[in-house]
Amino acid sequence: DAGITQSPRHKVTETGTPVTLRCHQTENHRYMYWYRQDPGHGLRLIHYSYGVKDTDKGEVSDGYSVSRSKTEDFLLTLESATSSQTSVYFCAISEIRMGREQFFGPGTRLTVL
Amino acid sequence: KQEVTQIPAALSVPEGENLVLNCSFTDSAIYNLQWFRQDPGKGLTSLLLIQSSQREQTSGRLNASLDKSSGRSTLYIAASQPGDSATYLCAVLVTSGSRLTFGEGTQLTVNP
């Protein structure tokens, strides 16, 4: 399995509080992604990164920001959490030399009360 | 906008049966197509990756085919086992983009 960890694995927070999720990889892959998975919507891309300090928006980026200061770490921040952001969040990585196959982390279950 | 559809949404079969899961996509300009497996409460495990220039890929009892012109892929599972029970997801990467577009998945149950 690709070396991808996510922290925390579970989090319960209150509306209006900031939340940061961390994705850490040991594979030295260039591309990193944050997805959310919701019943009825499947998996949707929030933000992605194509290198250190290079990021771009996905299809559901409103209310989220990201940062990547090192190759191995990709942070997802909810500046002011809302109940609609209750979801399971997955990080993924890929690399061109591997045909851009995406490998996923174990996920973080976030509940916003 | 790329759309991915998976049929059927759910499938229940007896152990030992060969089965086919279907995936269709609307934009044929794809870079690759991936099949994933997801167990309840778990992350996604990549099963097979098919590049746009390829027609099929095989791994053990799994075989995935790709027909770009018709916008279809199939995942064939031979001699199904109860341990194959999971949700199977199809996803495509478009040539001009960086995100995977996922189908809703097929929930497979293999009964002993």
Side-chain angles (χ1 to χ4, degrees), chain A residues 9 31 33 35 37-38 40-43 45 48 58-59 90 96 98-107 109, chain B residues 1 31-32 34 36 38 41-44 46-49 51 89 93-95 97-100 102-104:
Chain A
R9 294 293 314 280
Y31 295 87
Y33 312 82
Y35 292 88
Q37 186 175 35
D38 305 286
H41 292 279
L43 279 129
L45 183 68
Y48 68 97
E59 62 181 312
F90 288 101
I96 292 175
M98 296 185 68
R100 298 185 69 182
E101 182 175 6
Q102 291 197 17
F103 300 96
F104 281 71
R109 184 173 295 275
Chain B
K1 179 186 175 185
Y31 188 93
N32 63 36
Q34 268 184 273
F36 295 89
Q38 186 174 31
K42 303 294 185 181
L44 281 70
S46 180
L47 297 173
L48 290 165
L49 171 74
Q51 300 294 347
L89 296 161
L93 182 67
V94 297
T95 303
S98 293
R99 71 176 178 96
L100 285 174
F102 283 84
E104 288 280 347

Side-chain angles (χ1 to χ4, degrees), chain B residues 2-7 22-26 70-73 90:
Chain B
Q2 178 74 269
E3 293 182 359
V4 179
T5 304
Q6 291 187 246
I7 296 173
N22 296 292
C23 171
S24 62
F25 47 94
T26 55
S70 66
R72 295 178 187 275
S73 176
C90 165

Side-chain angles (χ1 to χ4, degrees), chain B residues 8 52 65 73 81-82 84 88 112:
Chain B
S52 62
S65 67
S73 176
Q81 303 170 358
D84 294 331
Y88 290 80

Side-chain angles (χ1 to χ4, degrees), chain B residues 11-12 21 37-38 49 52 77 84 104 110:
Chain B
L11 182 64
S12 181
L21 307 181
R37 167 187 174 137
Q38 186 174 31
L49 171 74
S52 62
I77 302 177
D84 294 331
E104 288 280 347
V110 181

Side-chain angles (χ1 to χ4, degrees), chain A:
Chain A
D1 289 344
I4 311 170
T5 57
Q6 293 184 232
S7 59
R9 294 293 314 280
H10 302 271
K11 186 171 182 66
V12 179
T13 191
E14 294 187 351
T15 298
T17 60
V19 176
T20 295
L21 308 183
R22 181 185 184 230
C23 176
H24 179 78
Q25 62 144 328
T26 58
E27 306 296 320
N28 200 35
H29 283 202
R30 176 183 176 187
Y31 295 87
M32 298 186 75
Y33 312 82
W34 278 107
Y35 292 88
R36 60 178 289 175
Q37 186 175 35
D38 305 286
H41 292 279
L43 279 129
R44 294 176 292 173
L45 183 68
I46 305 170
H47 281 281
Y48 68 97
S49 170
Y50 46 97
V52 174
K53 297 185 179 179
D54 291 323
T55 64
D56 206 348
K57 296 179 180 180
E59 62 181 312
V60 289
S61 59
D62 288 348
Y64 302 94
S65 63
V66 290
S67 66
R68 190 171 179 199
S69 59
K70 299 185 291 184
T71 298
E72 57 266 36
D73 289 326
F74 193 32
L75 304 180
L76 177 70
T77 298
L78 290 65
E79 301 292 346
S80 178
T82 67
S83 59
S84 65
Q85 293 176 313
T86 292
S87 186
V88 180
Y89 291 85
F90 288 101
C91 173
I93 64 174
S94 72
E95 182 56 68
I96 292 175
R97 60 182 164 78
M98 296 185 68
R100 298 185 69 182
E101 182 175 6
Q102 291 197 17
F103 300 96
F104 281 71
T108 294
R109 184 173 295 275
L110 176 67
T111 302
V112 183
L113 302 175

